[in-house]
Amino acid sequence: SGAGMAVDGILSAQATAASPITFTSLTDDTFGGDLNRNGAGTTPASGDWSGIEINSTSQNSTLDSVTIRYGGAGLRLANLSIDTADVTVRGSIVEHSKVHGIYITDSASSSITNSIFRNNTGDNSSSGITGDRGSPTISGNTFQNNRFGLLFSNSGAIVSGNTFTGNVFAIDWTDKIGGRIENNNGSGNTTNALSIAGGITVSGSTTTLSKNSLPYIVNVADIRSVTGAALEVEPGVVIKLQGRRLTVNGTLYLKGTPSLPVLFTSALDDSDGNDALSDGATTGAIVSPQGIVMRAGSRAEINNSEFRFMQTALSYTSSPIYLDTVSFVNNNLGISASGSTVEKAVNVTFTGNNATTSPGGLF
């Protein structure tokens, strides 16, 4: 009740699914009975206690088959906060926090796997897991009925094989996606997509956008690839834009295949089978400035890709044009080019656009 746990050494909380360890509120009679002996006189609420804080001097703590509930009144407003430490969490349940299920910062290699994060909805920033910096592994988890399933910034996390259902936002990720987001799935989220924004590459390295059953959506802020960085978009990736664009200062590789093309389209285009905005059946809309902007000195190699409902699908300024099996469908303008030369243009098609290329004569 109101208290919490600070870990400067090692916390070893290792149990089994049949006999879990539970950290919860004094007023939670579901576990341990009516400890304060008042019958139904009190009920638990998020923020009843501070939570567990694992501090920077702690390494190799483990929480296995642990349930943490109704905390989050501490510094990080989380049931469990991990600050510059490496922690293993597996097979656990984290729920009903005041704000965040887990708050993780500057963690190089924490592992959070096969766990459930649910009903963390205390305020508008509440999440199952929130984090910044570091590169934790988050895989095989279920995120249910949180405001944000994952809320990340400046992180190089590896996020794979997770399921997102009934959240307001599945994933919201701003800046530095140096890790991977792959093979995640979900349904019934209000924004049924993986939201990305800001500077998503780091100079001197490659950021990869991998395929998930949910599309990526860019609707909060433009996304940028910085000078000296590479952005690779793997086969089958769907990126939906809502009045936003991708600006490339480094190198861009769209690596679609004939059976798994890369698709850039409108957030209102549900033809991929995903209603990203949960607004019913819609067919796409052209909203300025949707599209990809190639800055001077940048380079893009675009293979087996399609662009739909863009204001200007591809805008080149002193950047070479390399297109192999690319289609432009229902855009305002397919390609705009200034000071650019065509290195390759094979199987490039234009269908239903208001205009194909500007200036004319490139194709």
Side-chain angles (χ1 to χ4, degrees), residues 206-222:
T206 298
T207 290
T208 302
L209 297 183
S210 301
K211 187 178 185 301
N212 301 268
S213 70
L214 297 175
Y216 295 90
I217 189 169
V218 184
N219 62 349
V220 175
D222 289 359

Side-chain angles (χ1 to χ4, degrees), residues 181-262:
I181 306 173
E182 60 184 354
N183 298 323
N184 299 284
N185 66 86
S187 62
N189 305 286
T190 304
T191 299
N192 205 46
L194 313 175
S195 177
I196 55 177
I200 62 170
T201 61
V202 179
S203 183
S205 66
T206 298
T207 290
T208 302
L209 297 183
S210 301
K211 187 178 185 301
N212 301 268
S213 70
L214 297 175
Y216 295 90
I217 189 169
V218 184
N219 62 349
V220 175
D222 289 359
I223 54 176
R224 306 182 305 278
S225 178
V226 301
T227 302
L231 174 62
E232 291 187 356
V233 182
E234 293 188 336
V237 167
V238 177
I239 299 177
K240 298 189 176 186
L241 308 179
Q242 187 178 23
R244 302 295 180 181
R245 61 186 180 178
L246 163 61
T247 300
V248 179
N249 294 284
T251 306
L252 173 66
Y253 300 101
L254 303 189
K255 306 175 75 170
T257 65
S259 60
L260 289 172
V262 169

Side-chain angles (χ1 to χ4, degrees), residues 27-269:
T27 60
D28 182 5
D29 298 344
T30 306
F31 297 89
D34 183 16
L35 201 63
N36 58 353
R37 300 182 181 182
N38 68 343
T42 54
T43 55
S46 60
D48 273 354
W49 62 290
S50 292
I52 302 170
E53 298 179 1
I54 300 181
N55 298 317
S56 59
T57 57
S58 173
Q59 296 297 323
N60 303 317
S61 287
T62 300
L63 290 83
D64 188 346
S65 301
V66 169
T67 296
I68 312 176
R69 324 172 81 204
Y70 297 112
L75 178 64
R76 299 295 190 179
L77 303 177
N79 277 349
L80 172 64
S81 66
I82 302 169
D83 186 358
T84 323
D86 294 327
V87 178
T88 297
V89 179
R90 58 178 173 257
S92 295
I93 298 172
V94 184
E95 61 186 354
H96 299 297
S97 175
K98 183 173 183 178
V99 180
H100 306 296
I102 293 180
Y103 187 109
I104 182 169
T105 184
D106 274 323
S107 179
S109 58
S110 283
S111 174
I112 302 171
T113 60
N114 302 316
S115 296
I116 297 171
F117 298 85
R118 62 192 178 197
N119 302 318
N120 298 291
T121 56
D123 71 8
N124 287 337
S125 66
S126 291
S127 67
I129 302 176
T130 191
D132 60 273
R133 304 183 298 279
S135 51
T137 297
I138 299 171
S139 64
N141 303 289
T142 299
F143 296 85
Q144 299 174 329
N145 303 324
N146 307 284
R147 181 163 178 80
F148 294 90
L150 286 178
L151 179 62
F152 271 21
S153 64
N154 292 301
S155 178
I158 297 172
V159 177
S160 65
N162 302 285
T163 299
F164 299 85
T165 58
N167 306 281
V168 179
F169 304 93
I171 290 179
D172 188 287
W173 199 317
T174 302
D175 296 330
K176 192 192 171 188
I177 305 176
R180 295 178 75 91
I181 306 173
E182 60 184 354
N183 298 323
N184 299 284
N185 66 86
S187 62
N189 305 286
T190 304
T191 299
N192 205 46
L194 313 175
S195 177
I196 55 177
I200 62 170
T201 61
V202 179
S203 183
S205 66
T206 298
T207 290
T208 302
L209 297 183
S210 301
K211 187 178 185 301
N212 301 268
S213 70
L214 297 175
Y216 295 90
I217 189 169
V218 184
N219 62 349
V220 175
D222 289 359
I223 54 176
R224 306 182 305 278
S225 178
V226 301
T227 302
L231 174 62
E232 291 187 356
V233 182
E234 293 188 336
V237 167
V238 177
I239 299 177
K240 298 189 176 186
L241 308 179
Q242 187 178 23
R244 302 295 180 181
R245 61 186 180 178
L246 163 61
T247 300
V248 179
N249 294 284
T251 306
L252 173 66
Y253 300 101
L254 303 189
K255 306 175 75 170
T257 65
S259 60
L260 289 172
V262 169
L263 174 61
F264 277 78
T265 190
S266 162
L268 297 171
D269 180 8

